[in-house]
Amino acid sequence: QSSIENLTTSINGTIINSNANPSAMAASENGKFWCTYDIFSVTDEMRELVNLKLYENNKLILTLYKIPGSDIGITNSGKLVFYDHSEHFKGNLIIHVYSKTGVLLLSKIFKSADQFEFSQSGEMIGVRTMEGLSITSLSSGISFLIDSGLQFTFDENDEFVAVAQSGKVLIYKNSTLLRTIQTEIELPRKIIISNETDLVGIIDKFN
């Protein structure tokens, strides 16, 4: 019922006021970066994507003719994240990260990956795998593994990660567990953490 134009939802379900062009096929959560591309061919597990055009505030800043993945994510800092399913028969997902100028920053293989979250800064990604929760810097490629959960999120400064498990929340700084908070929430559906306000919020089915 909102009268606000450009109201949309991000890939993780957050309602955002995006300035992305209506023709955008993928966009960053802040709406600053968006892209279009062509689908060349489709198989059971993969799409071949070509002719990506990346825009910043509706200005074309990058063209990639060959796209190394079947799906695309864009972070709030303009980094392109390509999800490569070419080794799906091994249960592997390869993530390729490019800068907004088209420089390959890293490629990383994940086993049985099924949940992805970017930090608000656009500089970190969390991937839930069979080994645990992998946290990776998109610029340096440095990563560490922490306990997994049903939901997770970054604080606004990329300093802390909050992991919601059944009945509790784990607060990490880098790979160090700082605190465990008992919540009595069995099925958390969304979690948010703020370093500035020292608060953690959780949504479940009822509250």
Side-chain angles (χ1 to χ4, degrees):
Q1 295 178 352
S2 172
S3 62
I4 299 175
E5 295 183 0
N6 300 321
L7 198 66
T8 186
T9 57
S10 73
I11 193 170
N12 64 7
T14 305
I15 297 175
I16 55 174
N17 184 13
S18 171
N19 293 317
N21 190 293
S23 63
M25 302 177 77
S28 60
E29 199 168 286
N30 59 11
K32 183 177 180 180
F33 299 94
W34 57 278
C35 75
T36 62
Y37 53 83
D38 296 322
I39 302 173
F40 185 71
S41 64
V42 179
T43 64
D44 289 343
E45 297 291 339
M46 297 177 59
R47 301 185 302 168
E48 185 177 354
L49 309 181
V50 295
N51 300 327
L52 179 141
K53 296 183 183 299
L54 177 66
Y55 295 83
E56 181 176 1
N57 295 322
N58 294 329
K59 178 182 178 181
L60 179 64
I61 61 172
L62 176 67
T63 298
L64 288 178
Y65 297 103
K66 182 69 174 177
I67 301 173
S70 297
D71 294 291
I72 300 171
I74 308 176
T75 77
N76 283 342
S77 60
K79 289 181 172 56
L80 291 161
V81 179
F82 299 111
Y83 301 94
D84 180 354
H85 301 279
S86 59
E87 295 189 4
H88 67 88
F89 56 93
K90 298 180 183 178
N92 292 340
L93 173 70
I94 309 170
I95 290 182
H96 308 283
V97 181
Y98 282 71
S99 71
K100 64 181 182 180
T101 59
V103 176
L104 176 62
L105 299 176
L106 69 94
S107 294
K108 188 175 177 64
I109 298 176
F110 297 93
K111 190 76 172 176
S112 301
D114 68 351
Q115 185 179 355
F116 313 91
E117 292 282 348
F118 299 131
S119 67
Q120 295 176 44
S121 69
E123 296 300 318
M124 305 288 288
I125 186 173
V127 180
R128 188 172 65 182
T129 72
M130 64 185 301
E131 291 88 11
L133 182 58
S134 176
I135 306 296
T136 303
S137 166
L138 297 179
S139 296
S140 68
I142 296 173
S143 65
F144 55 88
L145 202 64
I146 59 178
D147 288 340
S148 187
L150 299 172
Q151 299 290 332
F152 66 93
T153 191
F154 298 88
D155 79 307
E156 61 273 75
N157 301 320
D158 294 346
E159 188 175 355
F160 299 99
V161 178
V163 181
Q165 297 181 343
S166 180
K168 61 185 176 181
V169 170
L170 310 178
I171 308 296
Y172 284 89
K173 184 175 183 180
N174 296 321
S175 59
T176 302
L177 177 62
L178 296 182
R179 184 176 306 160
T180 300
I181 303 171
Q182 302 300 322
T183 64
E184 299 182 359
I185 294 176
E186 297 303 315
L187 292 174
R189 295 187 171 180
K190 181 71 177 174
I191 182 170
I192 189 169
I193 182 173
S194 172
N195 187 21
E196 296 177 1
T197 62
D198 195 32
L199 293 174
V200 178
I202 308 173
I203 297 174
D204 69 359
K205 184 176 181 179
F206 304 104
N207 299 286

